Amino acid sequence: MSKPDHSAIPLQPASSTTPILPPPESPDTHSMGDSARPVFSSQYGGYGSQNYDDDDKDPLLSSSTGSAGGGPGARRRRNSVDADSKGGCLSVLVPVVAIIALLLLLSRMSIIPAPSTNLLTNQLSPFLPAGFLAFLGGTGVGPKSPHPIIPLISQANDKWSNVLSSQSTTFDRATKTYKSRYGIPPPPGFDKWFAFAIQGRNHTLVDEYDQLMADLLPYRSLSPSEIRRRTQELAQVPGISIVSIRNGAAQVHSKSGKWAPALAFQQMIGTFVRDLPDMDIAINEKPEGRVLPRRQRTVLMEDYGLEGDELAPNMTDPMIRPTIEGFKPEWQRDGSVWDAFRRSCPTTSPSRRLVETVRSAEAGGASILQVQGRASSKTDAPTTRRKNTNQSYPPTRELTFSHDLDSSTDICANPSMHSLHSAFFSDQRTIEHLYPVFSPSKPPGYADILIPSHHYWAPSSEFTYEWEMMKGRTREPTDLDWGVKKSTIYWRGKVTRGADTPPGRAPSFQKQRLVKMANEAHTTNRVLVAFDPKTAGLISAAVPTNEVNKATADVAMACDPNLGECSYLRSLGYRVEPPGPLSEAWKHKYVLDVDEIGFSPRFLALMESKSAVVKSSVQKEFWSGWAIPWKHFIPLSPSYAELYNIQTFFSGFPSSFTSNSSYTKTVLTKPHPIPILPTTSDGEPFAGDRALRDIAEAGREWRQQHVRKADMECYVYRLMVEWAALTTEAEE
């Protein structure tokens, strides 16, 4: 995009009634000739299109000849005086501005001390061009952060403090908050829910149910009878269980025999089910979302030359009264999740306009596709923006840090992201109409209604924190104290199953890409950037990729040798290790969490540990509105490009790098004076390792105080109160 032409900004509205005056006449006007005269356009609000020689012919000017001050000669004298005064002002102003600019420039070059808060830049910003301000390093909004992660942490801390302090403590206040947020009155039973949450379960986040209300919003367009009809049809769909509530008791019905998800939900509502009306709940037995309503263009009356707005609905239209009779649970090469997802996007979105779905980078073989900042797979790809120098500068994407998880991203507007996640290649067929399915997770754009997973309610040993000690296998906790943990990144996970539609896309999925990146063995340099809290400066080091991976990451696929898959995975270039207990992760300060084909069942167990969780996910879950990224966990982009620089920000360079003089190091920034950095949770000066420990401790506290089984009960109770209002007729 070209820079804006500041000279083209109108200085005076075209409709102004101010008389348009000619400029003072130059002594050489007549000698210049017509071609040499400057031309002034009326759009600049200055002089209109008058000719220098035709003052007396201008109607505005000639109409004023009888007024005080008289004719053209007087006007020329006045203009001459005005020009002299303007010239005098300019002769004073220009040196002043030049001196100020020189002082700011010298300050930026650290020749003289700069004001602690860029005071001069802030005060002069309204009067200086944006490009000049950018050159001086000031934006007029205060000092720039020495590292992009620092404001993310500070903002997250402030946001969480505001969330906790703003929660309702009385029913009247909760009612007012509900009405102000959602524009509707609370449903019947809201008072009982509030008493249950506050008095019965000591639930804290009583106002934070935006995710739940967003899930229910599409269903408010359906009548109670239509919702009930669609739920009855879901009972015939494979992979769907039904929890029936009759006369204050709940029963589970499952044709597939996979009882765990529905049984867990039955237990969640067991304490308050007697207060619920009769209704049926369709529970998804699968971990991934199931509902992707197709979106069609609205047909208007004017499209047919008629008066009015939208056409009257045709009740025989399958979009108005759909059916899923004969629904096939799997695609079996008849379509795909991505094709269905595209049809659920707005008709004008980039995903809908695609003629062909974006190919994954790895599936193309020799053809490499750059997707959403994903690092190139070419080993000779440059790692620095500056060539032929001894300095190391990282690519921008490796110093760009996510504000939130991918679950908050609009994939309809960013279609290339789908190739990075196995969820969009699931073998399970989606439902292309608005059917009320209650699921444990869903990517953005799905219409499932979120509930806590049975893996969270009754986790198996694989997803339970300190399972060994709970079962009496160890007397001491397996989790280590912070000072004993390694400053390395840890992940183990199994190959994602059930995502092969269309086939051949697995190399671009989240787990495969992570293991490949963290175990690259080539010697091309990777540029790492560390933050020095003492100087608030950034230092970079160019280190061979294989050395970086050895020193910072322990990432591998977990495979069972008895299944015969280990040798196959090795042949594909993946590092494989035998399955190990979850407690292996507690040896490391950074524990990675990435999606399965749906959500990650181990997330809450990782959050309960003393390690800091680094999470990459495209899945929304019931807790999504309760956790604050950079306060409770560290969000990671789908490309993982910034992963190593997250590690070096908090932990610095590994000792093997600092002691090796052959690795090129560059001082990228050295602010002067040193900006004021935020303090740690204990009030001490900022330190990366302490800031990381703060995130780990905040995440552990969040898990233990705000995502207990009692909080899951509160979430489901609130959901059932809202759902009862949608499925019950007004007279009932």
Side-chain angles (χ1 to χ4, degrees):
M1 180 181 295
S2 60
K3 296 181 179 179
D5 183 5
H6 296 285
S7 64
I9 299 175
L11 302 178
Q12 176 179 309
S15 60
S16 173
T17 58
T18 303
I20 302 176
L21 302 178
E25 186 175 20
S26 170
D28 299 324
T29 297
H30 297 286
S31 62
M32 288 169 61
D34 294 339
S35 61
R37 298 173 186 169
V39 178
F40 297 88
S41 172
S42 60
Q43 68 172 315
Y44 304 119
Y47 307 108
S49 58
Q50 287 81 6
N51 190 302
Y52 283 99
D53 300 325
D54 298 330
D55 298 1
D56 53 344
K57 296 181 182 179
D58 188 284
L60 284 175
L61 298 180
S62 60
S63 65
S64 61
T65 55
S67 60
R75 283 192 296 274
R76 292 191 182 95
R77 286 192 297 272
R78 284 197 303 271
N79 291 337
S80 177
V81 173
D82 293 342
D84 291 341
S85 62
K86 292 179 180 177
C89 292
L90 288 175
S91 64
V92 175
L93 182 61
V94 169
V96 171
V97 172
I99 292 173
I100 293 173
L102 179 61
L103 292 174
L104 292 172
L105 181 59
L106 293 176
S107 171
R108 182 171 175 82
M109 297 171 63
S110 299
I111 296 176
I112 63 173
S116 60
T117 59
N118 288 331
L119 181 60
L120 290 174
T121 304
N122 294 341
Q123 291 181 346
L124 291 174
S125 60
F127 311 104
L128 298 177
F132 187 61
L133 280 174
F135 173 69
L136 296 177
T139 60
V141 293
K144 188 176 181 180
S145 173
H147 193 287
I149 288 180
I150 292 177
L152 294 175
I153 295 175
S154 298
Q155 292 164 13
N157 289 336
D158 293 342
K159 184 176 181 180
W160 180 243
S161 297
N162 292 335
V163 167
L164 291 180
S165 62
S166 64
Q167 296 304 301
S168 298
T169 56
T170 64
F171 177 70
D172 288 342
R173 182 178 172 184
T175 301
K176 292 178 181 178
T177 301
Y178 187 103
K179 291 179 179 179
S180 65
R181 281 198 181 190
Y182 310 121
I184 56 176
F190 185 78
D191 54 343
K192 291 184 178 180
W193 169 81
F194 187 80
F196 176 86
I198 294 292
Q199 301 172 9
R201 293 297 183 266
N202 194 27
H203 181 50
T204 307
L205 304 175
V206 292
D207 295 327
E208 303 309 311
Y209 283 82
D210 291 354
Q211 177 65 61
L212 184 152
M213 298 300 285
D215 290 346
L216 298 182
L217 184 60
Y219 297 93
R220 296 188 185 277
S221 64
L222 303 179
S223 66
S225 60
E226 181 62 16
I227 292 177
R228 294 197 297 265
R229 185 192 69 82
R230 298 188 187 194
T231 302
Q232 291 175 357
E233 283 198 15
L234 286 170
Q236 309 303 319
V237 175
I240 299 291
S241 299
I242 300 295
V243 176
S244 296
I245 301 174
R246 298 291 185 272
N247 301 319
Q251 290 185 333
V252 175
H253 309 276
S254 174
K255 290 189 174 183
S256 66
K258 296 181 179 179
W259 303 94
L263 285 175
F265 188 83
Q266 181 191 38
Q267 294 171 10
M268 291 179 206
I269 65 176
T271 306
F272 50 84
V273 66
R274 62 182 178 274
D275 296 325
L276 300 177
D278 292 354
M279 54 184 173
D280 295 328
I281 308 297
I283 304 296
N284 185 8
E285 298 172 358
K286 305 293 183 180
E288 64 263 41
R290 301 290 295 273
V291 185
L292 274 174
R294 180 184 302 189
R295 189 176 303 197
Q296 294 182 331
R297 189 176 77 87
T298 301
V299 180
L300 304 177
M301 298 283 282
E302 64 182 20
D303 294 338
Y304 293 90
L306 303 175
E307 294 183 358
D309 297 326
E310 189 173 347
L311 280 176
N314 179 2
M315 297 310 296
T316 62
D317 185 347
M319 297 299 294
I320 301 298
R321 189 177 173 84
T323 181
I324 51 176
E325 184 178 351
F327 179 83
K328 297 179 180 179
E330 296 185 353
W331 291 107
Q332 297 178 345
R333 305 297 185 261
D334 178 24
S336 68
V337 170
W338 176 237
D339 289 338
F341 185 90
R342 288 176 54 204
R343 290 192 291 269
S344 73
C345 291
T347 56
T348 57
S349 66
S351 292
R352 197 66 177 266
R353 293 199 303 266
L354 284 178
V355 177
E356 183 181 14
T357 54
V358 180
R359 299 174 61 194
S360 70
E362 290 79 4
S367 61
I368 301 299
L369 178 67
Q370 291 287 343
V371 179
Q372 295 294 321
R374 180 199 290 170
S376 172
S377 65
K378 297 179 180 178
T379 57
D380 58 348
T383 59
T384 175
R385 297 195 305 269
R386 299 193 178 188
K387 300 180 180 180
N388 302 322
T389 70
N390 293 324
Q391 296 179 325
S392 302
Y393 292 84
T396 302
R397 66 177 180 271
E398 295 183 5
L399 273 181
T400 302
F401 303 93
S402 296
H403 291 230
D404 205 342
L405 297 174
D406 290 344
S407 57
S408 63
T409 303
D410 182 4
I411 297 179
C412 289
N414 300 276
S416 59
M417 285 186 61
H418 90 278
S419 65
L420 308 180
H421 298 278
S422 57
F424 296 97
F425 299 88
S426 172
D427 298 335
Q428 293 295 317
R429 185 185 296 271
T430 55
I431 300 172
E432 294 191 275
H433 299 287
L434 189 61
Y435 275 75
V437 177
F438 292 72
S439 300
S441 66
K442 63 176 180 180
Y446 280 65
D448 301 60
I449 301 167
L450 294 174
I451 57 174
S453 167
H454 68 283
H455 290 299
Y456 292 158
W457 180 259
S460 62
S461 61
E462 189 178 0
F463 310 126
T464 302
Y465 176 71
E466 293 290 9
W467 181 84
E468 294 90 345
M469 191 173 69
M470 289 174 57
K471 297 299 180 181
R473 297 190 176 186
T474 60
R475 294 185 178 180
E476 299 294 330
T478 57
D479 201 352
L480 304 178
D481 291 334
W482 184 259
V484 185
K485 295 175 182 284
K486 303 176 185 177
S487 297
T488 47
I489 303 164
Y490 179 87
W491 182 84
R492 290 290 187 275
K494 299 176 181 178
V495 177
T496 298
R497 306 286 184 186
D500 197 33
T501 304
R505 306 302 179 98
S508 70
F509 293 168
Q510 61 272 17
K511 293 181 180 180
Q512 287 86 336
R513 289 186 294 106
L514 175 63
V515 175
K516 278 288 184 69
M517 183 191 78
N519 293 281
E520 289 177 324
H522 58 75
T523 57
T524 303
N525 280 350
R526 178 181 289 277
V527 179
L528 305 178
V529 177
F531 176 70
D532 183 1
K534 295 181 180 179
T535 64
L538 301 182
I539 305 170
S540 70
V543 184
T545 298
N546 58 341
E547 296 297 328
V548 172
N549 287 330
K550 288 179 183 178
T552 62
D554 184 0
V555 175
M557 288 285 191
C559 67
D560 188 347
N562 297 326
L563 299 178
E565 62 181 3
C566 297
S567 58
Y568 174 70
L569 290 173
R570 288 193 186 96
S571 69
L572 296 178
Y574 299 110
R575 176 191 166 193
V576 297
E577 297 290 344
L582 193 61
S583 57
E584 284 294 312
W586 314 149
K587 299 176 182 178
H588 308 262
K589 292 182 178 179
Y590 304 84
V591 289
L592 274 174
D593 188 45
V594 298
D595 290 336
E596 302 291 332
I597 193 171
F599 70 106
S600 169
R602 71 181 69 183
F603 173 67
L604 291 187
L606 297 179
M607 291 294 287
E608 197 169 357
S609 74
K610 299 177 183 178
S611 300
V613 177
V614 182
K615 185 173 181 62
S616 178
S617 176
V618 75
Q619 302 287 343
K620 292 183 179 182
E621 299 183 60
F622 83 97
W623 54 261
S624 295
W626 291 355
I628 307 295
W630 294 105
K631 172 63 179 179
H632 303 122
F633 63 88
I634 299 172
L636 183 65
S637 74
S639 69
Y640 312 136
E642 76 277 26
L643 177 60
Y644 297 100
N645 283 322
I646 289 175
Q647 198 264 359
T648 53
F649 169 77
F650 290 107
S651 303
F653 296 131
S655 57
S656 59
F657 298 172
T658 56
S659 60
N660 193 330
S661 59
S662 63
Y663 298 151
T664 303
K665 298 180 179 64
T666 301
V667 177
L668 300 180
T669 62
K670 190 175 182 180
H672 181 76
I674 299 175
I676 299 176
L677 300 177
T679 58
T680 57
S681 61
D682 53 5
E684 295 296 320
F686 183 88
D689 186 71
R690 178 67 229 198
L692 181 67
R693 183 177 178 179
D694 285 348
I695 294 176
E697 292 177 349
R700 179 180 173 90
E701 180 183 275
W702 174 82
R703 168 66 175 98
Q704 294 176 341
Q705 295 185 10
H706 304 289
V707 202
R708 308 159 298 158
K709 293 182 73 171
D711 299 299
M712 298 181 201
E713 285 182 298
C714 292
Y715 188 94
V716 173
Y717 192 175
R718 171 74 173 266
L719 176 60
M720 291 295 96
V721 167
E722 298 281 357
W723 191 244
L726 294 181
T727 58
T728 305
E729 302 290 349
E731 58 271 16
E732 298 178 36

